[in-house]
């Protein structure tokens, strides 16, 4: 019998959750028996149903909630599932409690590389709880953090990247240079993020101030809070001020990204493998990324992108200059990045690894 899997997650945003949701549609097509607990009035809930995946209409969002725990427990008892796959915080806390005394393997997901400490009591309600059988890590960097914890069984953590599919981006129509108000010769660079200190946007701004005035670039900062005055003030009055475009939150962000040549992510900590970087690589952009755990796994230095030391705006400026001065090399790095998505970071590989893991666990239940 193929493994029977109960997934608990939140599929409200079809764009953000696509790499995750498509795993389970793929597993269903591979013959696994998949059920999902999530809100039924969403794009992916409809797709799940169309693909024969049963959707239990409920958003699990309250932690340590008896009603939520009992709801999950009843589904597990009735369905006799082999695997309970938990993605977000509320799902993990409640799902672990619901699985007590039941013959089901509990699998957690971790896509963030911080805030796991063996000495933190709250960690034992989630990722360090003895009831967790496996933890799927979205990068090697995340797996390494688990394996550094005292008393942690290193067999529990396994790295499986959330892969992408180039077909997801074929219908995205890039803006023209005229639409964006930039020249045909400019090296267009995108950065998509929300305004959080860990994203390191201030280091990007500092790097811009260190570039020569004659450099032919345009930088598009896209995301909530990236049009904040704190960033504008760093480049105010500088020679390259007009080359930075503060776009703020945009629903058509990918149309801007698709029109660019390169992508910057200057994160200082906490990343796993950033979806925005993967998306840019799928469009054939050359990434410039900081050397933190997680994102650095996406790039082979000078082959499909450039890596600079985190928090080092001087080195970041050098990377920008290098890409601007050698457009042929930048174009080739973008091509190699797209090939990297199609090869190592493809959704098909992710589905295959999930299937193997679930089959191994189901044999033990």
């Amino acid at each position: 019998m193929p493994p029977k899997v109960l997934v608990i997650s939140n599929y409200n945003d079809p764009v953000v959750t696509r790499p995750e949701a498509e795993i389970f549609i793929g597993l269903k097509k591979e013959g696994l028996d998949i059920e999902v607990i999530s809100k039924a009035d969403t794009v992916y809930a409809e797709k799940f149903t169309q693909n024969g995946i049963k959707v239990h209409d409920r958003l699990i969002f309250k932690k340590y909630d008896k009603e939520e725990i009992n709801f999950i427990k009843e589904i597990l008892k009735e369905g006799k599932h082999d695997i309970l796959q938990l993605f977000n915080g509320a799902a993990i806390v409640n799902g672990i409690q619901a699985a007590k005394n039941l013959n089901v393997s509990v699998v957690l997901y971790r896509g963030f590389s911080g805030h796991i400490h063996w000495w933190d009591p709250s960690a034992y309600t989630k990722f360090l709880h003895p009831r967790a059988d496996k933890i799927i890590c979205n990068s090697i960097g995340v797996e390494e953090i688990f394996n550094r914890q005292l008393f942690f069984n290193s067999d529990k953590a396994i790295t499986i990247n959330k892969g992408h599919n180039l077909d997801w981006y074929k219908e995205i129509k890039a803006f023209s240079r005229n639409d964006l108000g930039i020249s045909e010769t400019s090296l267009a660079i995108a950065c998509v993020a929300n305004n959080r200190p860990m994203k390191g946007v201030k280091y990007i701004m500092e790097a811009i101030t260190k570039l020569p005035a004659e450099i032919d670039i345009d930088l598009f900062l896209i995301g909530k809070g990236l049009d904040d005055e704190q960033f504008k003030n760093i480049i105010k009055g500088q020679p390259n001020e007009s080359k930075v475009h503060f776009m703020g939150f945009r629903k058509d962000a990918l149309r801007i990204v698709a029109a660019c040549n390169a992508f910057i992510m200057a994160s200082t900590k906490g990343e796993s493998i950033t979806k925005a970087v993967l998306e840019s690589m799928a469009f054939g952009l050359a990434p410039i990324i900081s050397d933190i755990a997680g994102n650095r796994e996406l790039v082979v230095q000078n082959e499909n992108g450039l890596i600079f030391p985190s928090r080092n705006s001087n080195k970041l400026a050098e990377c920008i200059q290098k890409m601007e001065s050698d457009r042929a090399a930048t174009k080739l790095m973008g091509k190699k990045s797209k090939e990297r998505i199609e090869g190592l970071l493809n959704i098909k590989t992710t589905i295959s690894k999930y299937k193997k893991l679930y089959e191994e666990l189901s044999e033990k239940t």
Side-chain angles (χ1 to χ4, degrees):
M1 291 288 291
K4 187 171 185 180
V5 184
L6 178 63
V7 182
I8 307 180
S9 192
N10 180 357
Y11 296 106
N12 282 344
D13 189 325
V15 176
V16 172
T17 61
R18 178 166 54 186
E20 179 186 308
E22 291 291 341
I23 295 170
F24 299 102
I25 292 175
L27 287 171
K28 178 65 178 179
K29 291 177 180 178
E30 287 288 320
L32 276 67
D33 189 351
I34 308 293
E35 295 182 11
V36 174
I37 297 178
S38 188
K39 290 293 289 181
D41 58 345
T42 64
V43 170
Y44 263 106
E46 184 177 342
K47 287 186 177 182
F48 288 148
T49 302
Q50 290 170 352
N51 282 276
I53 296 174
K54 184 176 181 179
V55 177
H56 300 273
D57 184 14
R58 192 180 185 112
L59 180 61
I60 305 296
F61 68 96
K62 297 177 183 177
K63 294 182 180 180
Y64 311 104
D65 187 271
K66 289 183 178 180
E67 187 176 334
E68 307 278 38
I69 293 168
N70 288 334
F71 178 79
I72 299 167
K73 184 181 285 290
E74 287 306 310
I75 292 174
L76 289 171
K77 288 169 67 175
E78 182 179 342
K80 295 181 172 57
H81 300 80
D82 302 295
I83 311 291
L84 176 61
Q85 175 68 65
L86 307 170
F87 278 98
N88 54 49
I92 290 171
V93 171
N94 294 326
I96 286 174
Q97 296 302 313
K100 282 184 177 180
N101 303 317
L102 297 181
N103 188 28
V104 60
S105 292
V106 177
V107 182
L108 314 183
Y109 170 82
R110 182 66 173 178
F112 181 72
S113 63
H115 305 320
I116 298 291
H117 306 291
W118 66 268
W119 40 261
D120 178 5
S122 68
Y124 295 90
T125 66
K126 292 183 286 186
F127 295 99
L128 300 186
H129 196 289
R131 189 62 183 84
D133 295 291
K134 283 287 183 179
I135 302 170
I136 295 176
C137 306
N138 196 34
S139 72
I140 296 170
V142 174
E143 182 179 341
E144 289 172 346
I145 286 175
F146 279 111
N147 290 335
R148 288 200 295 266
Q149 305 305 315
L150 292 181
F151 320 116
F152 183 78
N153 180 356
S154 61
D155 291 337
K156 282 190 176 185
I158 179 174
T159 298
I160 305 178
N161 306 132
K162 277 185 181 176
H164 280 235
N165 186 338
L166 296 181
D167 290 343
W168 296 344
Y169 306 99
K170 284 183 177 179
E171 295 182 3
I172 302 295
K173 185 180 179 182
F175 282 118
S176 69
R177 293 288 174 118
N178 187 57
D179 290 333
L180 296 175
I182 62 176
S183 72
E184 293 296 329
T185 63
S186 170
L187 179 78
I189 307 169
C191 173
V192 180
N194 290 326
N195 183 10
R196 289 182 285 168
M198 61 177 277
K199 293 296 183 179
V201 177
K202 74 170 185 175
Y203 298 104
I204 300 176
M205 294 295 92
E206 290 174 3
I208 297 298
T209 68
K210 301 174 189 298
L211 296 172
E214 66 274 13
I215 195 166
D216 189 12
I217 66 163
D218 282 277
L219 170 66
F220 294 92
L221 292 176
I222 312 160
K224 291 180 181 178
L226 292 201
D227 53 354
D228 192 274
E229 290 300 319
Q230 63 174 313
F231 302 131
K232 293 179 180 180
N233 289 336
I234 294 174
I235 60 166
K236 190 173 183 179
Q238 297 289 326
N240 291 313
E241 180 181 5
S242 64
K243 299 171 186 177
V244 181
H245 310 278
F246 297 91
M247 312 300 287
F249 173 77
R250 296 280 296 249
K251 289 185 177 180
D252 56 0
L254 289 181
R255 294 189 64 193
I256 302 172
V257 174
C260 292
N261 312 102
F263 189 92
I264 293 177
M265 185 58 68
S267 304
T268 60
K269 63 178 181 179
E271 301 284 15
S272 168
I273 288 182
T274 307
K275 179 173 173 285
V277 181
L278 286 170
E279 289 173 338
S280 74
M281 291 169 65
F283 283 118
L285 275 64
I288 303 173
I289 61 172
S290 55
D291 63 352
I292 63 168
N295 278 346
R296 66 170 179 248
E297 298 164 34
L298 296 172
V299 172
V300 178
Q301 184 75 300
N302 294 311
E303 182 176 314
N304 76 300
L306 300 177
I307 305 172
F308 67 95
S310 174
R311 304 174 191 267
N312 191 324
S313 56
N314 289 318
K315 292 297 182 182
L316 173 53
E318 290 176 13
C319 289
I320 296 171
Q321 284 186 270
K322 185 173 182 177
M323 284 199 177
E324 192 274 339
S325 64
D326 192 344
R327 302 300 181 88
T330 300
K331 186 175 181 179
L332 181 58
M333 284 190 282
K335 180 176 180 290
K336 292 289 186 182
S337 281
K338 194 168 186 176
E339 291 172 357
R340 194 166 175 81
I341 295 292
E342 195 167 24
L344 295 176
L345 298 165
N346 192 285
I347 185 68
K348 292 179 181 178
T349 303
T350 304
I351 292 167
S352 176
K353 290 182 176 180
Y354 266 73
K355 181 182 178 183
K356 182 175 183 291
L357 174 62
Y358 289 163
E359 288 174 341
E360 290 173 351
L361 289 173
S362 66
E363 290 174 2
K364 299 176 183 178
T365 57

